[in-house]
Amino acid sequence: MFRVLTILTGAVASVALAAPAAAQPGTCLGTRAANSVRLTVVSTDLRNAAGEVAVTVYPDDSRRFLAKKGKLARARVPTRAPETSTCFWVAPGHYAVAMYHDENGDHDFNRTLFSIKEGFGFSNDAPTTLGLPRFERVRFAVGPGDTSIRIKTRYAR
C-alpha cells in the first residue's frame, strides 16, 4: 500500500509542477484554429469551493502521460462546488486528462508520506486503487464536434 501511495502522489504531483495557465471562467485555454474543437472538462464531486481546480491535458502518447514536461496544456480555475468546468481548444484526436483540487491554492498537490490531502481524478474516471491508471484507461477520443468529459474527484478518506 505504501508503494502504491508513493507512486500515486509522485505522479499526481508532477501534474502540479509546471507553471499553469490561468484560465478565466467561461473562456477556453489555447488558440481557436480552423480545425479546433472545444474540449470541456467537468470536475465533479468537489467537496468545497476552496482554492482552484488544476486540469492538465496530455497528448496521445503513453510516455508523456504524467511525465514532467509531457503536457499539452494546463489550466487553473477557481473552484465552484460541487462541479467546476474548464475548457481547452484542441484538434480532434485522442487525449488523456489528469486533475486535482488545489484546496489551499498553493499550486502544489499536498500530501504527506502516508496520505493524500487534496482530491484528484483522471479521464474516464480511471481507477487508482492499485496504483496509477494505465494510459489506455485514461485515453479518450475528441471528435469533430465539441466534446465534454466528466471526472469524479476522489479524496483520501
Side-chain angles (χ1 to χ4, degrees), residues 28-44:
C28 292
L29 188 65
T31 303
R32 185 176 185 180
N35 68 334
S36 63
V37 295
R38 183 188 327 259
L39 168 62
T40 301
V41 178
V42 181
S43 302
T44 69

Side-chain angles (χ1 to χ4, degrees), residues 4-105:
V4 169
L5 183 59
T6 301
I7 292 169
L8 179 61
T9 58
V12 177
S14 72
V15 172
L17 292 178
Q24 299 300 317
T27 63
C28 292
L29 188 65
T31 303
R32 185 176 185 180
N35 68 334
S36 63
V37 295
R38 183 188 327 259
L39 168 62
T40 301
V41 178
V42 181
S43 302
T44 69
D45 297 315
L46 295 158
R47 66 181 171 193
N48 59 53
E52 303 171 323
V53 173
V55 179
T56 306
V57 178
Y58 294 92
D60 191 17
D61 182 346
S62 62
R63 294 168 296 166
R64 290 181 61 183
F65 179 60
L66 298 175
K68 188 174 184 177
K69 298 183 182 182
K71 74 179 180 336
L72 284 178
R74 175 171 306 127
R76 290 182 164 276
V77 296
T79 305
R80 299 183 81 180
E83 295 183 349
T84 298
S85 293
T86 310
C87 68
F88 302 86
W89 292 112
V90 299
H94 288 86
Y95 298 91
V97 172
M99 61 75 58
Y100 79 99
H101 180 193
D102 186 9
E103 288 182 272
N104 61 5

